[in-house]
Amino acid sequence: MSEKILLITGATSDVGCQLFEAVHGDYDHIFLQYRTMNEDLSKLIEEYNSQVDIRPIQCDFSDITNVFRMIDDIKTTGLIPNNIVHLPAPKAYNMHFHKDEWENYSLGWEISVHSIVEVLKAFIPYMVKENYGRIVFMLTSCTVYQPAKFQSSYVTVKYALLGLMKSLSVEYISKGITVNGVSPDMMETKFLSELPRLLVETNAYNSPLGRNIYVEEVIPVIQLLLADSSASMTGQNIAVMGGGST
């Protein structure tokens, strides 16, 4: 492996920004995928631009033609990511199954699953040649314990990602590539903005921790899975739950 190159998808998210801030010194080049640039990520890019080669790349994952363009743009640089952290998902919402529309399943599929399938199809062959790669999916505690009600499309998409992670982990471990997932309980992020506040507060109240998870409690788990020392850790779906089990 000549250089360490990281791709964070969904980099404008709270997790994406804090992850970038935490690991920027560990990489030679970092691609930051975003749909719409926000102030948080923009400030971090400005702050760390002199310390690492940062390459923001705009791409709307709901449009697969955008994803193919992003892949081509990355390939054109000659810098192929050998570390990938995949974060994007539509915002969570509550809705009875029989009232939900297929379009919501389809949107989740495109943003969370189809996008990373095409990205990995493009970049895993390069990781195989290097005999090295680290891939981390953001999943959810719903894939570890009992899911919440009224979130069928969200849970379905996350289980699809879990299946992809498990399948790739056994296929590529012999090539030095690990594929893992992180499954936090409800985190205090802008991702929750469309959920009823009462639901968010109830989740915090019912947690043995007495609150919801903080982003900074999830970042070290992602860092562990990206580490060179985690070469034998693959196919794991690590829950960050604060003691919860429902």
Side-chain angles (χ1 to χ4, degrees):
M1 178 181 62
S2 54
E3 294 183 302
K4 291 190 71 174
I5 303 171
L6 173 65
L7 167 63
I8 301 176
T9 62
T12 53
S13 65
D14 296 314
V15 174
C17 286
Q18 289 198 35
L19 177 63
F20 169 54
E21 188 169 23
V23 306
H24 71 275
D26 299 335
Y27 292 90
D28 301 293
H29 312 275
I30 299 178
F31 290 95
L32 300 171
Q33 178 273 330
Y34 65 95
R35 187 186 67 173
T36 304
M37 180 59 71
N38 63 16
E39 185 177 359
D40 292 340
L41 185 60
S42 181
K43 285 182 176 179
L44 290 173
I45 292 171
E46 183 177 357
E47 181 176 356
Y48 297 118
N49 193 46
S50 62
Q51 301 177 33
V52 61
D53 177 33
I54 304 170
R55 295 173 180 255
I57 187 163
Q58 193 281 329
C59 181
D60 182 353
F61 273 12
S62 68
D63 182 349
I64 199 62
T65 60
N66 269 237
V67 177
F68 290 131
R69 175 189 54 77
M70 183 192 79
I71 292 168
D72 289 341
D73 288 347
I74 292 175
K75 285 183 175 181
T76 298
T77 69
L79 302 169
I80 307 301
N82 45 32
N83 284 233
I84 297 175
V85 179
H86 183 57
L87 304 173
K91 284 187 177 181
Y93 63 93
N94 266 28
M95 187 173 294
H96 286 277
F97 169 72
H98 66 278
K99 294 182 179 179
D100 208 352
E101 300 291 338
W102 171 249
E103 285 76 9
N104 292 321
Y105 290 81
S106 181
L107 179 63
W109 181 267
E110 291 300 317
I111 291 174
S112 296
V113 183
H114 193 181
S115 60
I116 195 61
V117 166
E118 298 299 345
V119 167
L120 294 179
K121 283 171 64 179
F123 296 147
I124 277 183
Y126 294 89
M127 297 182 194
V128 170
K129 290 179 181 179
E130 290 188 333
N131 198 42
Y132 170 83
R134 297 288 182 269
I135 301 166
V136 181
F137 292 167
M138 178 59 70
L139 300 175
T140 170
S141 60
C142 294
T143 61
V144 181
Y145 301 113
Q146 180 175 301
K149 295 188 291 185
F150 313 130
Q151 295 182 11
S152 59
S153 63
Y154 175 75
V155 174
T156 298
V157 167
K158 288 297 188 180
Y159 265 94
L161 275 176
L162 174 65
L164 178 63
M165 180 272 285
K166 290 286 188 180
S167 179
L168 296 181
S169 70
V170 295
E171 184 170 350
Y172 288 103
I173 185 59
S174 65
K175 305 299 183 182
I177 301 168
T178 64
V179 191
N180 292 287
V182 179
S183 284
D185 195 8
M186 191 175 286
M187 284 188 291
E188 291 290 346
T189 72
K190 55 181 174 283
F191 181 74
L192 305 180
S193 63
E194 295 183 14
L195 288 177
R197 192 59 203 171
L198 179 61
L199 175 64
V200 177
E201 293 171 355
T202 300
N203 190 83
Y205 178 81
N206 289 334
S207 170
L209 192 60
R211 59 170 174 80
N212 292 321
I213 300 297
Y214 297 146
V215 172
E216 54 265 31
E217 295 168 325
V218 176
I219 300 302
V221 181
I222 300 176
Q223 290 179 275
L224 170 66
L225 297 174
L226 292 173
D228 291 343
S229 58
S230 297
S232 63
M233 182 179 288
T234 196
Q236 302 304 303
N237 182 17
I238 301 178
V240 183
M241 288 288 294
S245 61
T246 59

